[in-house]
């Protein structure tokens, strides 16, 4: 079974609008962490935001927020006020208890239209 | 501050040749990871080290792949002999144990 599932291979969003990127995960651990990374066309991997499984508040970092629904095992990324520079691949990843490796989902490509 | 440094950035080689990819992690980070990215398989963890010790190499495709971390500031990923299906972008990343991963810019390998 896939540990991290990103069901949206690609999506368009209008500049200045918000976009939600879906991520569901599968783990039997109680302690785990969820991460989002951005990969622009230049190829580098940029860390965006982190949510711990015990964090009661949804994580926020500037225009990025994480809609964490633990019971549904989902950790959706919300990008508010989209900018042209937000066009990129976005990856959701999970770290489970007992290790510090990250397992990545397949990614969602976002294209922001002017 | 210097980030994770990988070399070479691009490598084109012929099938059967040995390929060595190099990585210098961020100073003070105690975990180092090698990932491979392809269109078909996405981002796959090949191997990772904690405190220079290999912890999980279950992602290493086969015996043709080997990785070493002789000290805290250097790691290599070697492919011998290389095959066309090894063509991919290889990322090195480092972290403190429970922190986010910081990635290098990647090494794009093309095996002809």
């Amino acid at each position: 079974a896939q540990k991290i599932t990103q069901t949206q291979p690609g999506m368009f969003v209008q500049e200045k609008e918000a976009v939600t990127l879906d991520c569901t995960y599968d783990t039997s651990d109680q302690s785990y962490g969820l991460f989002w990374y951005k990969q622009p066309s230049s190829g580098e991997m940029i860390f965006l935001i982190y949510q711990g499984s015990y964090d009661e508040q949804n994580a926020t970092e500037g225009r990025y927020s994480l809609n964490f629904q633990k019971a549904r095992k989902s950790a959706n990324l919300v990008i508010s006020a989209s900018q042209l520079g937000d066009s990129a691949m976005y990856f959701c990843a999970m770290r489970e208890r007992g290790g510090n490796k990250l397992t990545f989902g397949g990614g969602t490509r976002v294209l922001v239209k002017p | 501050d210097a980030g994770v440094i990988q070399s070479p950035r691009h490598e084109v080689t012929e099938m059967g040749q040995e390929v060595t990819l190099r990585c210098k992690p961020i100073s003070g980070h105690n975990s180092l990871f090698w990932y491979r990215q392809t269109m078909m398989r996405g981002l796959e963890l090949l191997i990772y080290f904690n405190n220079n010790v290999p912890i999980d190499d279950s992602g290493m495709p086969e015996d043709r792949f080997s990785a070493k971390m002789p000290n805290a500031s250097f790691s290599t990923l070697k492919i011998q002999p290389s095959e066309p299906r090894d063509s991919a972008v290889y990322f090195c990343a480092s972290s403190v144990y429970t922190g986010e991963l910081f990635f290098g810019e990647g090494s794009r390998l093309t095996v002809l």
Side-chain angles (χ1 to χ4, degrees):
Chain A
Q2 292 283 340
K3 291 261 186 192
I4 297 285
T5 302
Q6 295 181 251
T7 57
Q8 306 151 309
M11 56 198 309
F12 289 98
V13 59
Q14 200 67 42
E15 191 178 10
K16 300 181 184 178
E17 291 186 350
V19 61
T20 298
L21 308 183
D22 295 340
C23 173
T24 57
Y25 57 91
D26 180 28
T27 182
S28 57
D29 288 348
Q30 296 301 308
S31 176
Y32 51 89
L34 297 156
F35 300 75
W36 278 91
Y37 280 81
K38 172 184 178 181
Q39 186 177 41
S41 58
S42 51
E44 71 268 31
M45 295 285 288
I46 302 166
F47 166 72
L48 296 178
I49 195 167
Y50 166 80
Q51 178 85 40
S53 60
Y54 291 119
D55 295 342
E56 295 187 355
Q57 300 288 330
N58 285 342
T60 61
E61 287 288 347
R63 295 187 298 112
Y64 304 108
S65 60
L66 203 152
N67 183 3
F68 181 46
Q69 298 187 46
K70 193 170 182 177
R72 298 180 62 181
K73 293 188 175 178
S74 74
N76 299 339
L77 177 70
V78 179
I79 306 174
S80 63
S82 296
Q83 302 172 357
L84 297 179
D86 294 333
S87 294
M89 282 287 287
Y90 289 83
F91 293 94
C92 180
M94 177 173 64
R95 168 182 289 147
E96 295 177 277
R97 187 176 59 89
N100 59 335
K101 65 182 182 183
L102 295 191
T103 302
F104 284 83
T108 296
R109 183 173 298 281
V110 172
L111 183 60
V112 180
K113 299 187 292 184
Chain B
D1 289 342
V4 176
I5 300 172
Q6 291 187 245
S7 64
R9 291 292 315 281
H10 301 273
E11 175 92 4
V12 180
T13 191
E14 292 189 346
M15 183 173 62
Q17 296 298 306
E18 178 179 293
V19 173
T20 299
L21 306 179
R22 297 172 177 80
C23 176
K24 177 179 169 56
I26 293 173
S27 178
H29 283 189
N30 51 13
S31 297
L32 183 139
F33 308 80
W34 283 101
Y35 282 86
R36 178 172 68 177
Q37 186 177 33
T38 61
M39 288 293 292
M40 292 296 295
R41 301 175 68 91
L43 271 161
E44 305 173 275
L45 178 68
L46 300 177
I47 186 171
Y48 80 95
F49 299 81
N50 284 347
N51 298 314
N52 314 338
V53 176
I55 302 300
D56 182 351
D57 65 355
S58 59
M60 295 286 264
E62 49 201 84
D63 292 346
R64 297 185 299 106
F65 284 68
S66 63
K68 294 182 179 180
M69 191 166 186
N71 57 62
S73 59
F74 185 65
S75 177
T76 59
L77 178 68
K78 187 172 294 187
I79 309 172
Q80 166 64 18
S82 58
E83 297 182 3
R85 60 189 167 131
D86 303 330
S87 297
V89 179
Y90 291 81
F91 284 102
C92 177
S94 71
S95 75
V96 295
Y97 187 71
T98 58
E100 70 268 28
L101 272 60
F102 291 82
F103 284 79
E105 294 183 306
S107 294
R108 181 176 294 276
L109 173 65
T110 303
V111 183
L112 303 175

